[in-house]
Amino acid sequence: MIEGLQPHKATRIMRLVTDEGSARMTTEILGEIFDPVETAVSAFETDQGWLLEAYFAHPPDEAMIRDIIRPVVGDAADDAVFDDIREQDWVKASLDGLKPVRSGRILVYGSHDRAVVKANDVPLEIEAALAFGTGHHGTTSGCLDALVRLANRRRPQSILDVGTGTGILAIAAAKWLRVPVIAGDLDPTAIAVAAANAKANGVASLLTYYIAPGVENAHARGRTFELVFANILARPLRLMAVSLARAVAPGGNLVLSGLLARDVPGVLAAYRAQGFALAERRDREGWAALVLRRGGAAPRPVKPRSAKSCRQGR
């Protein structure tokens, strides 16, 4: 399975059955062209071949999309089917087939699976909603695994979750470790959903939220944390390397995800330049989660531009 981050509210879907190679290539092409907040592409193996699904927050230019994928899938581009998605169907589709996800004692499940919770579990009841994150995506489950392994070695006392989505990572950390957690997202819908999930899971008092990109908020800016999560996408992670690095306390850990395998070298280079070293990498369903630790190469100095070069750059 190759799965993209679902847009907060999809209104239109494209479906196409093709072969594995074409499905993978088309997924990467559409993922590069369209805004990941507005569009997501997934591919699944079925009895008939690989089913490619592209979700759009707004009705797309269907002819343009057929032209984009035609060099990869050939005349099969004309077989692509576009359909509307009603809001209730979108939420139901998010729940269909979901099974409980376990990382150590942490168990993420929907209300329909309450019977599977054991006495020693740290249970997170999360319902599908119009914001990304049920715990089943490879990026989220990879971050949960990282949380378990890091906290079993040394429990962090200060945690920041950048791009929190439905709040799974922040809620899991707060519920298991019983420490305050700061969680931010640029989407107000995501923050509303995360706050509701925190309340439902009994940790509302431990969570503080902000609406802003990255760490551009007083709750995060100028502060340092022992553990920082950033489950976003490769390009914004590269762009935020300097600001995220500043948010990690000396000896702290930074967990990055939302990365395809091909994204890892570029993201690692950006954070190594800020003094981080790769401590661990885990791959799930084609997505990579990186645990970075301070102690790599020293941050590269920024050379001041001369007056002459400044004038030439105008």
Side-chain angles (χ1 to χ4, degrees), residues 162 229-242 244 254-259 267 270-271 290:
V162 178
F229 290 103
N231 181 12
I232 313 176
L233 288 169
R235 185 172 182 273
L237 285 177
R238 291 196 301 269
L239 294 174
M240 291 192 295
V242 173
L244 281 179
L254 175 61
V255 179
L256 305 179
S257 196
L259 307 173
V267 171
Y271 285 86
L290 310 178

PDB file of all heavy atoms in Angstrom, residues 162 229-242 244 254-259 267 270-271 290:
ATOM      1  N   VAL A 162       4.436  19.229  16.267  1.00  0.00           N
ATOM      2  CA  VAL A 162       4.235  20.193  15.183  1.00  0.00           C
ATOM      3  C   VAL A 162       3.459  19.519  14.048  1.00  0.00           C
ATOM      4  O   VAL A 162       3.871  18.483  13.546  1.00  0.00           O
ATOM      5  CB  VAL A 162       5.586  20.723  14.662  1.00  0.00           C
ATOM      6  CG1 VAL A 162       5.362  21.692  13.499  1.00  0.00           C
ATOM      7  CG2 VAL A 162       6.360  21.401  15.782  1.00  0.00           C
ATOM      8  N   PHE A 229       8.061  16.294  17.822  1.00  0.00           N
ATOM      9  CA  PHE A 229       7.534  15.544  16.684  1.00  0.00           C
ATOM     10  C   PHE A 229       7.197  16.513  15.568  1.00  0.00           C
ATOM     11  O   PHE A 229       6.636  17.591  15.815  1.00  0.00           O
ATOM     12  CB  PHE A 229       6.239  14.803  17.061  1.00  0.00           C
ATOM     13  CG  PHE A 229       6.426  13.652  17.998  1.00  0.00           C
ATOM     14  CD1 PHE A 229       6.094  13.790  19.332  1.00  0.00           C
ATOM     15  CD2 PHE A 229       6.916  12.443  17.553  1.00  0.00           C
ATOM     16  CE1 PHE A 229       6.252  12.738  20.213  1.00  0.00           C
ATOM     17  CE2 PHE A 229       7.082  11.380  18.419  1.00  0.00           C
ATOM     18  CZ  PHE A 229       6.748  11.523  19.757  1.00  0.00           C
ATOM     19  N   ALA A 230       7.508  16.131  14.336  1.00  0.00           N
ATOM     20  CA  ALA A 230       7.083  16.894  13.165  1.00  0.00           C
ATOM     21  C   ALA A 230       6.720  15.885  12.080  1.00  0.00           C
ATOM     22  O   ALA A 230       7.569  15.445  11.311  1.00  0.00           O
ATOM     23  CB  ALA A 230       8.170  17.841  12.690  1.00  0.00           C
ATOM     24  N   ASN A 231       5.463  15.488  12.076  1.00  0.00           N
ATOM     25  CA  ASN A 231       4.954  14.517  11.108  1.00  0.00           C
ATOM     26  C   ASN A 231       4.238  15.313  10.019  1.00  0.00           C
ATOM     27  O   ASN A 231       3.029  15.505  10.066  1.00  0.00           O
ATOM     28  CB  ASN A 231       4.002  13.542  11.817  1.00  0.00           C
ATOM     29  CG  ASN A 231       3.461  12.485  10.868  1.00  0.00           C
ATOM     30  OD1 ASN A 231       3.944  12.324   9.751  1.00  0.00           O
ATOM     31  ND2 ASN A 231       2.443  11.776  11.309  1.00  0.00           N
ATOM     32  N   ILE A 232       5.029  15.785   9.063  1.00  0.00           N
ATOM     33  CA  ILE A 232       4.465  16.691   8.054  1.00  0.00           C
ATOM     34  C   ILE A 232       4.764  16.106   6.668  1.00  0.00           C
ATOM     35  O   ILE A 232       4.293  15.043   6.337  1.00  0.00           O
ATOM     36  CB  ILE A 232       5.037  18.115   8.228  1.00  0.00           C
ATOM     37  CG1 ILE A 232       4.979  18.528   9.722  1.00  0.00           C
ATOM     38  CG2 ILE A 232       4.235  19.111   7.418  1.00  0.00           C
ATOM     39  CD1 ILE A 232       5.598  19.868  10.014  1.00  0.00           C
ATOM     40  N   LEU A 233       5.581  16.791   5.889  1.00  0.00           N
ATOM     41  CA  LEU A 233       6.010  16.322   4.575  1.00  0.00           C
ATOM     42  C   LEU A 233       7.426  16.832   4.335  1.00  0.00           C
ATOM     43  O   LEU A 233       7.911  17.732   5.034  1.00  0.00           O
ATOM     44  CB  LEU A 233       5.072  16.822   3.472  1.00  0.00           C
ATOM     45  CG  LEU A 233       3.681  16.185   3.418  1.00  0.00           C
ATOM     46  CD1 LEU A 233       2.788  16.965   2.464  1.00  0.00           C
ATOM     47  CD2 LEU A 233       3.740  14.723   3.008  1.00  0.00           C
ATOM     48  N   ALA A 234       8.082  16.261   3.336  1.00  0.00           N
ATOM     49  CA  ALA A 234       9.507  16.520   3.135  1.00  0.00           C
ATOM     50  C   ALA A 234       9.825  17.993   2.906  1.00  0.00           C
ATOM     51  O   ALA A 234      10.732  18.550   3.543  1.00  0.00           O
ATOM     52  CB  ALA A 234      10.020  15.687   1.961  1.00  0.00           C
ATOM     53  N   ARG A 235       9.120  18.651   2.006  1.00  0.00           N
ATOM     54  CA  ARG A 235       9.484  20.033   1.667  1.00  0.00           C
ATOM     55  C   ARG A 235       9.357  20.971   2.868  1.00  0.00           C
ATOM     56  O   ARG A 235      10.309  21.710   3.169  1.00  0.00           O
ATOM     57  CB  ARG A 235       8.637  20.532   0.490  1.00  0.00           C
ATOM     58  CG  ARG A 235       9.044  21.918   0.012  1.00  0.00           C
ATOM     59  CD  ARG A 235       8.312  22.299  -1.270  1.00  0.00           C
ATOM     60  NE  ARG A 235       8.735  23.604  -1.746  1.00  0.00           N
ATOM     61  CZ  ARG A 235       8.202  24.751  -1.352  1.00  0.00           C
ATOM     62  NH1 ARG A 235       7.216  24.733  -0.469  1.00  0.00           N
ATOM     63  NH2 ARG A 235       8.639  25.898  -1.824  1.00  0.00           N
ATOM     64  N   PRO A 236       8.212  20.998   3.570  1.00  0.00           N
ATOM     65  CA  PRO A 236       8.166  21.879   4.747  1.00  0.00           C
ATOM     66  C   PRO A 236       9.165  21.488   5.827  1.00  0.00           C
ATOM     67  O   PRO A 236       9.676  22.359   6.539  1.00  0.00           O
ATOM     68  CB  PRO A 236       6.719  21.753   5.245  1.00  0.00           C
ATOM     69  CG  PRO A 236       6.163  20.555   4.571  1.00  0.00           C
ATOM     70  CD  PRO A 236       6.888  20.400   3.299  1.00  0.00           C
ATOM     71  N   LEU A 237       9.491  20.212   5.951  1.00  0.00           N
ATOM     72  CA  LEU A 237      10.494  19.818   6.943  1.00  0.00           C
ATOM     73  C   LEU A 237      11.865  20.388   6.593  1.00  0.00           C
ATOM     74  O   LEU A 237      12.605  20.823   7.479  1.00  0.00           O
ATOM     75  CB  LEU A 237      10.573  18.296   7.053  1.00  0.00           C
ATOM     76  CG  LEU A 237       9.424  17.615   7.789  1.00  0.00           C
ATOM     77  CD1 LEU A 237       9.578  16.105   7.757  1.00  0.00           C
ATOM     78  CD2 LEU A 237       9.322  18.102   9.234  1.00  0.00           C
ATOM     79  N   ARG A 238      12.201  20.396   5.319  1.00  0.00           N
ATOM     80  CA  ARG A 238      13.478  20.996   4.911  1.00  0.00           C
ATOM     81  C   ARG A 238      13.464  22.502   5.176  1.00  0.00           C
ATOM     82  O   ARG A 238      14.444  23.063   5.670  1.00  0.00           O
ATOM     83  CB  ARG A 238      13.754  20.716   3.432  1.00  0.00           C
ATOM     84  CG  ARG A 238      14.066  19.267   3.104  1.00  0.00           C
ATOM     85  CD  ARG A 238      14.692  19.136   1.721  1.00  0.00           C
ATOM     86  NE  ARG A 238      13.821  19.664   0.684  1.00  0.00           N
ATOM     87  CZ  ARG A 238      12.926  18.945   0.015  1.00  0.00           C
ATOM     88  NH1 ARG A 238      12.771  17.656   0.291  1.00  0.00           N
ATOM     89  NH2 ARG A 238      12.180  19.493  -0.934  1.00  0.00           N
ATOM     90  N   LEU A 239      12.363  23.148   4.853  1.00  0.00           N
ATOM     91  CA  LEU A 239      12.279  24.596   5.023  1.00  0.00           C
ATOM     92  C   LEU A 239      12.309  25.001   6.496  1.00  0.00           C
ATOM     93  O   LEU A 239      12.770  26.100   6.839  1.00  0.00           O
ATOM     94  CB  LEU A 239      10.997  25.125   4.367  1.00  0.00           C
ATOM     95  CG  LEU A 239      10.926  25.008   2.836  1.00  0.00           C
ATOM     96  CD1 LEU A 239       9.555  25.442   2.332  1.00  0.00           C
ATOM     97  CD2 LEU A 239      12.017  25.852   2.185  1.00  0.00           C
ATOM     98  N   MET A 240      11.825  24.118   7.365  1.00  0.00           N
ATOM     99  CA  MET A 240      11.753  24.443   8.789  1.00  0.00           C
ATOM    100  C   MET A 240      12.947  23.916   9.584  1.00  0.00           C
ATOM    101  O   MET A 240      12.927  23.926  10.807  1.00  0.00           O
ATOM    102  CB  MET A 240      10.460  23.893   9.394  1.00  0.00           C
ATOM    103  CG  MET A 240       9.208  24.594   8.915  1.00  0.00           C
ATOM    104  SD  MET A 240       7.755  24.139   9.898  1.00  0.00           S
ATOM    105  CE  MET A 240       7.614  22.403   9.514  1.00  0.00           C
ATOM    106  N   ALA A 241      13.982  23.470   8.907  1.00  0.00           N
ATOM    107  CA  ALA A 241      15.112  22.841   9.608  1.00  0.00           C
ATOM    108  C   ALA A 241      15.707  23.746  10.680  1.00  0.00           C
ATOM    109  O   ALA A 241      15.976  23.306  11.798  1.00  0.00           O
ATOM    110  CB  ALA A 241      16.187  22.417   8.601  1.00  0.00           C
ATOM    111  N   VAL A 242      15.898  25.005  10.373  1.00  0.00           N
ATOM    112  CA  VAL A 242      16.522  25.920  11.336  1.00  0.00           C
ATOM    113  C   VAL A 242      15.607  26.147  12.536  1.00  0.00           C
ATOM    114  O   VAL A 242      16.024  26.038  13.693  1.00  0.00           O
ATOM    115  CB  VAL A 242      16.884  27.258  10.667  1.00  0.00           C
ATOM    116  CG1 VAL A 242      17.370  28.256  11.703  1.00  0.00           C
ATOM    117  CG2 VAL A 242      17.946  27.046   9.593  1.00  0.00           C
ATOM    118  N   LEU A 244      12.980  24.340  13.622  1.00  0.00           N
ATOM    119  CA  LEU A 244      12.742  23.126  14.399  1.00  0.00           C
ATOM    120  C   LEU A 244      13.976  22.748  15.215  1.00  0.00           C
ATOM    121  O   LEU A 244      13.859  22.293  16.357  1.00  0.00           O
ATOM    122  CB  LEU A 244      12.356  21.969  13.477  1.00  0.00           C
ATOM    123  CG  LEU A 244      10.917  21.946  12.972  1.00  0.00           C
ATOM    124  CD1 LEU A 244      10.697  20.758  12.043  1.00  0.00           C
ATOM    125  CD2 LEU A 244       9.928  21.889  14.130  1.00  0.00           C
ATOM    126  N   LEU A 254      14.482  14.675  18.015  1.00  0.00           N
ATOM    127  CA  LEU A 254      13.570  15.206  17.017  1.00  0.00           C
ATOM    128  C   LEU A 254      13.097  14.043  16.159  1.00  0.00           C
ATOM    129  O   LEU A 254      13.915  13.326  15.571  1.00  0.00           O
ATOM    130  CB  LEU A 254      14.284  16.252  16.166  1.00  0.00           C
ATOM    131  CG  LEU A 254      13.535  16.852  14.973  1.00  0.00           C
ATOM    132  CD1 LEU A 254      12.270  17.573  15.429  1.00  0.00           C
ATOM    133  CD2 LEU A 254      14.454  17.814  14.205  1.00  0.00           C
ATOM    134  N   VAL A 255      11.788  13.829  16.091  1.00  0.00           N
ATOM    135  CA  VAL A 255      11.214  12.743  15.291  1.00  0.00           C
ATOM    136  C   VAL A 255      10.541  13.364  14.075  1.00  0.00           C
ATOM    137  O   VAL A 255       9.608  14.164  14.209  1.00  0.00           O
ATOM    138  CB  VAL A 255      10.198  11.918  16.102  1.00  0.00           C
ATOM    139  CG1 VAL A 255       9.593  10.815  15.226  1.00  0.00           C
ATOM    140  CG2 VAL A 255      10.862  11.313  17.330  1.00  0.00           C
ATOM    141  N   LEU A 256      11.022  13.007  12.888  1.00  0.00           N
ATOM    142  CA  LEU A 256      10.496  13.528  11.636  1.00  0.00           C
ATOM    143  C   LEU A 256       9.817  12.417  10.859  1.00  0.00           C
ATOM    144  O   LEU A 256      10.331  11.308  10.765  1.00  0.00           O
ATOM    145  CB  LEU A 256      11.625  14.118  10.774  1.00  0.00           C
ATOM    146  CG  LEU A 256      12.511  15.194  11.403  1.00  0.00           C
ATOM    147  CD1 LEU A 256      13.576  15.620  10.402  1.00  0.00           C
ATOM    148  CD2 LEU A 256      11.690  16.381  11.863  1.00  0.00           C
ATOM    149  N   SER A 257       8.671  12.723  10.271  1.00  0.00           N
ATOM    150  CA  SER A 257       8.010  11.738   9.421  1.00  0.00           C
ATOM    151  C   SER A 257       7.194  12.463   8.362  1.00  0.00           C
ATOM    152  O   SER A 257       7.210  13.688   8.273  1.00  0.00           O
ATOM    153  CB  SER A 257       7.144  10.786  10.255  1.00  0.00           C
ATOM    154  OG  SER A 257       6.807   9.641   9.495  1.00  0.00           O
ATOM    155  N   GLY A 258       6.453  11.664   7.563  1.00  0.00           N
ATOM    156  CA  GLY A 258       5.803  12.196   6.380  1.00  0.00           C
ATOM    157  C   GLY A 258       6.740  12.129   5.189  1.00  0.00           C
ATOM    158  O   GLY A 258       6.594  12.871   4.222  1.00  0.00           O
ATOM    159  N   LEU A 259       7.720  11.209   5.253  1.00  0.00           N
ATOM    160  CA  LEU A 259       8.779  11.124   4.248  1.00  0.00           C
ATOM    161  C   LEU A 259       8.693   9.835   3.444  1.00  0.00           C
ATOM    162  O   LEU A 259       8.628   8.741   4.021  1.00  0.00           O
ATOM    163  CB  LEU A 259      10.149  11.164   4.930  1.00  0.00           C
ATOM    164  CG  LEU A 259      10.421  12.312   5.898  1.00  0.00           C
ATOM    165  CD1 LEU A 259      11.745  12.082   6.608  1.00  0.00           C
ATOM    166  CD2 LEU A 259      10.417  13.624   5.161  1.00  0.00           C
ATOM    167  N   VAL A 267      16.269  15.513   3.455  1.00  0.00           N
ATOM    168  CA  VAL A 267      15.862  15.970   4.788  1.00  0.00           C
ATOM    169  C   VAL A 267      16.990  15.758   5.787  1.00  0.00           C
ATOM    170  O   VAL A 267      17.283  16.631   6.620  1.00  0.00           O
ATOM    171  CB  VAL A 267      14.581  15.227   5.235  1.00  0.00           C
ATOM    172  CG1 VAL A 267      14.264  15.518   6.700  1.00  0.00           C
ATOM    173  CG2 VAL A 267      13.410  15.633   4.350  1.00  0.00           C
ATOM    174  N   ALA A 270      19.592  18.476   5.524  1.00  0.00           N
ATOM    175  CA  ALA A 270      19.169  19.751   6.098  1.00  0.00           C
ATOM    176  C   ALA A 270      19.347  19.765   7.616  1.00  0.00           C
ATOM    177  O   ALA A 270      19.746  20.785   8.199  1.00  0.00           O
ATOM    178  CB  ALA A 270      17.710  20.023   5.737  1.00  0.00           C
ATOM    179  N   TYR A 271      19.076  18.632   8.276  1.00  0.00           N
ATOM    180  CA  TYR A 271      19.156  18.602   9.738  1.00  0.00           C
ATOM    181  C   TYR A 271      20.564  18.282  10.241  1.00  0.00           C
ATOM    182  O   TYR A 271      20.948  18.717  11.331  1.00  0.00           O
ATOM    183  CB  TYR A 271      18.115  17.625  10.296  1.00  0.00           C
ATOM    184  CG  TYR A 271      16.738  18.233  10.223  1.00  0.00           C
ATOM    185  CD1 TYR A 271      15.983  18.128   9.057  1.00  0.00           C
ATOM    186  CD2 TYR A 271      16.215  18.969  11.276  1.00  0.00           C
ATOM    187  CE1 TYR A 271      14.742  18.732   8.952  1.00  0.00           C
ATOM    188  CE2 TYR A 271      14.983  19.573  11.190  1.00  0.00           C
ATOM    189  CZ  TYR A 271      14.236  19.451  10.025  1.00  0.00           C
ATOM    190  OH  TYR A 271      13.008  20.069   9.926  1.00  0.00           O
ATOM    191  N   LEU A 290      12.143   9.199  11.076  1.00  0.00           N
ATOM    192  CA  LEU A 290      13.529   9.396  11.485  1.00  0.00           C
ATOM    193  C   LEU A 290      13.595   9.914  12.909  1.00  0.00           C
ATOM    194  O   LEU A 290      12.871  10.849  13.264  1.00  0.00           O
ATOM    195  CB  LEU A 290      14.230  10.400  10.565  1.00  0.00           C
ATOM    196  CG  LEU A 290      14.111  10.177   9.056  1.00  0.00           C
ATOM    197  CD1 LEU A 290      14.833  11.302   8.312  1.00  0.00           C
ATOM    198  CD2 LEU A 290      14.658   8.827   8.654  1.00  0.00           C
TER     199      LEU A 290
END
